Amino acid sequence: MSYFKVKTLPLAISLAIPALCLLCTSAVAADVKTVTLPGVTVSDSKLDNTAPGATKLDKASLAPRLSGTSDTASLLSDIPGVSLYGAGGVSSLPAIHGLADDRLRIKVDGMDLIASCPNHMNPALSYLDPTNVGVLKVFAGITPVSAGGDSIGGTILAESRAPEFAAPGQSVTKGELGAFYRGNNKARGANVSVMHATDAFNINYNGSTSKADNYTAGADFKTYDFTGRAGHNLPRNEVGSTAYDTRNQTIGLAFKGDNHLFQAKLGVQDMPFQLYPNQRMDMLDNTQRSVNLRYAGQFDWGTLDARAYQEKVDHFMDFGADKRYWYGMGSMVAGSSVASQPCAPISSTCAAGMPMLTEGKTTGISVKGDVTLGQQDVLRVGGDMQQYRINDWWTPSGGGMSPGTFWNIRDGQRDRSAVFAEWEGRKSAQWMTLLGARYEQVTMDAGAAIGYNPAGMGFQARDANAFNARSHKTTDNNVDLTAAASYTASDNYAIEFGFAHKTRSPNVYERFTWSTWQMAALMNNFVGDGNGYFGDLALKPEQANKLSATFDWHAADGSWGFKATPYTTQVADYIDAVQWNATTNLASTAAVKDKFSVLKFVNQSARIYGLDLSGHMPLATSSVGDFGLKGLLNYTHGSNRDTGDGLYNIMPLNAKLALTHKTGGWDNSLELLMVQAKDTVSGVRNEIRTPGFSLVNLRTSYTWKQVRLDLGVENLFDKFYYLPTGGAYTGQGTTMSNPALPNYPQWGTAVPGMGRSVVMGLNFKF
């Protein structure tokens, strides 16, 4: 597919110039009103509005946050029940009610994407720039089977801007230009979108770029400045390995005729680097190419939506600028002093970095039909097929990483096929019911394991032989069930409630990683806790049973509202971990305390429960504008029922309160964020406790007809704090030593949050 080889800047210029020329020459463009395709259902409007726990954010509601982030997942932070796992600057992982990453179903423009990286550095939302988001839909409560599958948490549906069409017989050309700057980490970026449309055709281009340096915390949090690279030190308040550089581009075509819509979209991401403060290594190249085809149509019997897509990812990891590059062979052994000695590049015992490569390919097809069963009932039926292929290999670099290639996962396969049926009924104006069932088959397989050296350190031969002696192919037959209802008692009160049984099969890294060697295990960590992990071929699928209800009090005109959502989830065969003794090749009999360790994925059981509260209300209307108040509170508790241990990375009790003010084109807010100390942690992982904190953010914007200006100050008082779900700080130094060697930060430091930062953004529509 040679069109993916086009370079970023020439592509942007070649597409932007003709579009701008059309703007200049079109005689009717300024006066044409754009319209969307009449009659064709391009989203599940009923599902959006009625499914218990569903929240929808559009472009207007997201606008105040866009200049403050390059991370699309962070746009979800104001949704009840949602928190974020800290990761790279554009790749944080959303969590819903304590369940994150592959435990959620996350789709981007209908594509069900998979992170192709042992550290999950390229999650689905990292491929969609915040400025290109059109709609975000989150199912945090009971997820309909038509929106779920192969997950036990909620569902996040991210959609880029929908195509627009001109009025009959006319044409329209329009676009946007934007730029931002954030002071703390010198983050800067720009975005452009242009489109030309007639009443039956649309062509559009979206491009964005963003780049940032390391950010600084509100105070010193280290007693060292060593990075392992000669002449390169970091200030003690600088959070190492938080810089990034990324570029995203999409080209879209759309055709409509009568009640039919056809769309084609090509996307490419070029990410030269994204560094990670809670991983031992960094992303030093990530290229994604995607093709996405869609048909939507309306018929006498209902609507049909079909999609086919393919994504290819080429991913490369090694040590970024803040981490040691040259390692002696002895530095791979715990307790060695070699890491503190000079390592001559010409020495045969030295390793030149630790190059690690991953190739992923995802191909998918989905079909869904909404069959009208009268004026009040809809039958939603459909099916999905997905084929995933992955190779994860580490080329020799000298020292202990030679003479051959280490195959972490070779010829990995994970194929899914599913069918579902869902009935949505409205027997009266007050009652809505939703019943659904989904059957899904997940087939997985992988090739032979191979280490760097059969006679090498870390029991490479033993572990590879044990893995290769077993069958790698598994087939899981999974069932999801959903039963939900909503009751509107009056103009001021409604209740939604339901039950869901959901199933998720293990991912390829949970099943197929095989080495107990600490160096290899440290590479297989997608939770950022500093430990090493390896998989288990015998893992069973996770099965979750969730009960949830939402009580909604509100004004008839929506001027005020309050929601309360209690929930509880029981998970059988929850994939947790146990500490492992590589020498005996058995679970450790004596727990390692306050240190990093190697763990094996195992099935256990878990319980999660909590409460989400949210609300808004007007305060006053005066000559200087309208004042309002909105708030959010989330509480989640998770525990391992087999061990009594806490679940990892559960966000502690947190609340957000915002005073808002609007007058004319001004839109202002003063926000207070409060987070309780994190005392309940995962002991098996030696998860780090964090103290409580509060932050103040100030935002203001002014909107003219075609221009929007955003200004703000985040962490107004430069408060120092640790991220409760940011993981362990491994952002600088000799990060491949475990336990720590001289000149490397010891266990016990959490990743700090960003200090005060001025935010500026400008957006121009034409």
Side-chain angles (χ1 to χ4, degrees):
M1 304 180 76
S2 60
Y3 50 82
F4 284 130
K5 303 299 183 181
V6 178
K7 297 297 183 182
T8 302
L9 186 58
L11 177 60
I13 293 174
S14 65
L15 288 166
I17 288 178
L20 291 174
C21 291
L22 284 169
L23 174 65
C24 298
T25 58
S26 176
V28 298
D31 297 324
V32 175
K33 180 179 180 181
T34 60
V35 296
T36 54
L37 178 62
V40 176
T41 302
V42 295
S43 65
D44 297 322
S45 58
K46 291 183 180 181
L47 206 59
D48 293 341
N49 298 327
T50 62
T55 303
K56 181 177 178 180
L57 301 176
D58 58 16
K59 191 72 176 178
S61 60
L62 294 171
R65 300 286 184 180
L66 294 182
S67 60
T69 184
S70 298
D71 182 7
T72 296
S74 69
L75 300 177
L76 303 168
S77 60
D78 286 340
I79 294 180
V82 176
S83 59
L84 300 175
Y85 277 27
V90 300
S91 298
S92 61
L93 302 172
I96 297 177
H97 293 164
L99 300 170
D101 201 7
D102 283 346
R103 291 189 169 109
L104 305 181
R105 180 89 282 110
I106 301 177
K107 294 186 177 183
V108 177
D109 283 332
M111 297 186 295
D112 207 343
L113 304 180
I114 298 172
S116 293
C117 168
N119 302 144
H120 284 193
M121 292 180 174
N122 44 26
L125 292 178
S126 68
Y127 294 120
L128 179 63
D129 188 80
T131 59
N132 194 26
V133 174
V135 174
L136 285 173
K137 306 172 191 174
V138 180
F139 297 90
I142 303 302
T143 303
V145 295
S146 58
D150 197 33
S151 62
I152 61 170
T155 293
I156 299 171
L157 306 178
E159 300 173 6
S160 57
R161 306 177 192 187
E164 300 178 9
F165 298 92
Q170 300 187 28
S171 65
V172 59
T173 301
K174 59 191 294 188
E176 291 186 26
L177 295 172
F180 70 85
Y181 179 79
R182 297 190 288 274
N184 184 291
N185 57 347
K186 299 180 182 178
R188 57 275 190 200
N191 61 278
V192 57
S193 64
V194 290
M195 59 145 284
H196 177 73
T198 67
D199 58 351
F201 171 74
N202 176 291
I203 181 171
N204 60 83
Y205 168 80
N206 290 275
S208 61
T209 179
S210 62
K211 187 174 185 178
D213 300 335
N214 289 342
Y215 69 77
T216 57
D220 292 349
F221 68 99
K222 301 169 290 186
T223 59
Y224 55 90
D225 50 23
F226 171 84
T227 67
R229 302 209 180 199
H232 178 51
N233 295 326
L234 296 182
R236 296 186 179 184
N237 68 337
E238 183 172 327
V239 183
S241 301
T242 53
Y244 60 86
D245 184 6
T246 183
R247 296 180 283 269
N248 294 279
Q249 298 180 93
T250 59
I251 303 172
L253 298 173
F255 305 87
K256 80 174 180 74
D258 298 326
N259 292 330
H260 306 278
L261 173 70
F262 299 88
Q263 289 180 263
K265 187 172 292 186
L266 307 178
V268 60
Q269 181 188 82
D270 169 29
M271 186 178 292
F273 66 88
Q274 183 178 195
L275 310 184
Y276 279 72
N278 60 0
Q279 294 290 355
R280 309 279 178 155
M281 302 186 74
D282 299 303
M283 175 196 292
L284 298 187
D285 184 62
N286 193 84
T287 302
Q288 183 235 29
R289 291 94 54 198
S290 65
V291 181
N292 191 356
L293 306 176
R294 184 197 182 200
Y295 165 77
Q298 184 165 319
F299 303 88
D300 293 339
W301 51 265
T303 63
L304 179 67
D305 196 303
R307 188 181 304 272
Y309 62 91
Q310 185 175 90
E311 178 209 40
K312 293 183 178 180
V313 175
D314 293 307
H315 177 72
F316 173 67
M317 291 195 304
D318 210 325
F319 300 115
D322 299 333
K323 294 168 183 172
R324 183 180 180 126
Y325 181 75
W326 288 101
Y327 277 81
M329 190 166 123
S331 65
M332 295 298 100
V333 182
S336 169
S337 61
V338 174
S340 63
Q341 305 299 322
C343 186
I346 60 173
S347 171
S348 62
T349 63
C350 282
M354 295 178 194
M356 300 186 172
L357 301 99
T358 307
E359 288 182 352
K361 180 181 177 181
T362 305
T363 305
I365 300 173
S366 63
V367 179
K368 182 183 66 172
D370 286 11
V371 182
T372 302
L373 304 177
Q375 294 184 347
Q376 303 298 328
D377 299 300
V378 174
L379 176 64
R380 198 169 287 115
V381 295
D384 302 293
M385 294 186 67
Q386 183 189 68
Q387 183 185 80
Y388 180 60
R389 298 291 180 266
I390 183 172
N391 281 301
D392 191 315
W393 73 102
W394 311 341
T395 56
S397 59
M401 281 61 68
S402 63
T405 294
F406 188 105
W407 282 93
N408 193 38
I409 297 178
R410 187 171 192 173
D411 297 327
Q413 302 177 22
R414 193 178 192 274
D415 297 338
R416 297 169 50 210
S417 57
V419 292
F420 65 84
E422 186 174 85
W423 170 71
E424 181 181 316
R426 295 177 178 272
K427 296 305 181 183
S428 69
Q430 292 178 302
W431 279 100
M432 185 282 294
T433 54
L434 186 72
L435 297 173
R438 181 184 186 97
Y439 167 76
E440 187 146 355
Q441 185 177 86
V442 180
T443 302
M444 299 175 65
D445 202 355
I450 303 174
Y452 287 115
N453 186 346
M457 62 183 71
F459 304 104
Q460 293 178 60
R462 181 199 69 184
D463 294 343
N465 291 337
F467 181 85
N468 294 336
R470 300 176 60 183
S471 173
H472 303 160
K473 188 170 184 178
T474 60
T475 299
D476 300 326
N477 296 292
N478 302 332
V479 175
D480 286 5
L481 302 170
T482 294
S486 66
Y487 174 69
T488 303
S490 67
D491 291 340
N492 302 112
Y493 176 70
I495 180 174
E496 301 172 342
F497 53 93
F499 165 82
H501 173 80
K502 306 188 69 178
T503 311
R504 177 190 80 98
S505 289
N507 64 41
V508 293
Y509 290 101
E510 290 167 328
R511 262 193 175 144
F512 296 138
T513 51
W514 53 272
S515 179
T516 63
W517 180 24
Q518 68 169 27
M519 194 289 292
L522 288 172
M523 293 301 93
N524 293 295
N525 180 322
F526 43 83
V527 295
D529 63 1
N531 297 301
Y533 288 84
F534 68 100
D536 185 353
L537 289 168
L539 284 178
K540 301 175 183 177
E542 297 178 320
Q543 299 187 63
N545 293 317
K546 182 170 187 175
L547 288 169
S548 176
T550 297
F551 303 90
D552 184 359
W553 296 268
H554 54 268
D557 61 0
S559 59
W560 63 266
F562 175 78
K563 289 185 178 182
T565 303
Y567 59 88
T568 182
T569 303
Q570 304 269 6
V571 187
D573 294 317
Y574 181 85
I575 299 176
D576 211 317
V578 295
Q579 292 184 2
W580 200 257
N581 185 323
T583 302
T584 63
N585 207 22
L586 297 170
S588 297
T589 56
V592 174
K593 297 291 187 181
D594 300 338
K595 292 181 181 179
F596 297 121
S597 63
V598 172
L599 302 101
K600 180 180 181 179
F601 291 115
V602 295
N603 287 120
Q604 295 177 327
S605 62
R607 175 190 292 138
I608 302 172
Y609 60 86
L611 175 68
D612 302 331
L613 302 176
S614 62
H616 67 277
M617 61 179 292
L619 291 179
T621 299
S622 67
S623 59
V624 295
D626 299 328
F627 292 88
L629 191 67
K630 60 181 181 179
L632 180 71
L633 183 145
N634 299 309
Y635 170 73
T636 303
H637 179 83
S639 60
N640 185 310
R641 300 182 68 194
D642 290 354
T643 66
D645 200 6
L647 298 186
Y648 177 69
N649 245 4
I650 299 295
M651 184 71 178
L653 176 68
N654 62 94
K656 189 179 294 184
L657 192 64
L659 175 66
T660 63
H661 169 250
K662 296 182 179 182
T663 180
W666 285 106
D667 192 343
N668 310 303
S669 70
L670 179 65
E671 181 181 271
L672 174 64
L673 173 64
M674 298 165 285
V675 179
Q676 192 177 60
K678 183 173 185 174
D679 295 321
T680 302
V681 295
S682 171
V684 69
R685 292 173 171 83
N686 289 304
E687 184 180 3
I688 302 167
R689 291 176 168 82
T690 57
F693 62 91
S694 60
L695 305 176
V696 175
N697 302 317
L698 179 63
R699 297 185 178 91
T700 184
S701 68
Y702 191 85
T703 304
W704 292 269
K705 184 176 181 180
Q706 293 175 286
V707 179
R708 178 186 173 97
L709 174 66
D710 289 278
L711 298 171
V713 182
E714 297 185 343
N715 193 357
L716 180 64
F717 299 109
D718 202 23
K719 178 77 173 181
F720 177 80
Y721 65 103
Y722 290 105
L723 297 169
T725 55
Y729 183 66
T730 55
Q732 67 186 88
T734 54
T735 57
M736 285 310 301
S737 303
N738 183 24
L741 297 181
N743 299 320
Y744 174 72
Q746 300 290 325
W747 173 91
T749 302
V751 176
M754 185 181 292
R756 180 169 48 235
S757 184
V758 175
V759 177
M760 297 178 285
L762 183 65
N763 191 72
F764 170 64
K765 296 181 180 180
F766 55 86

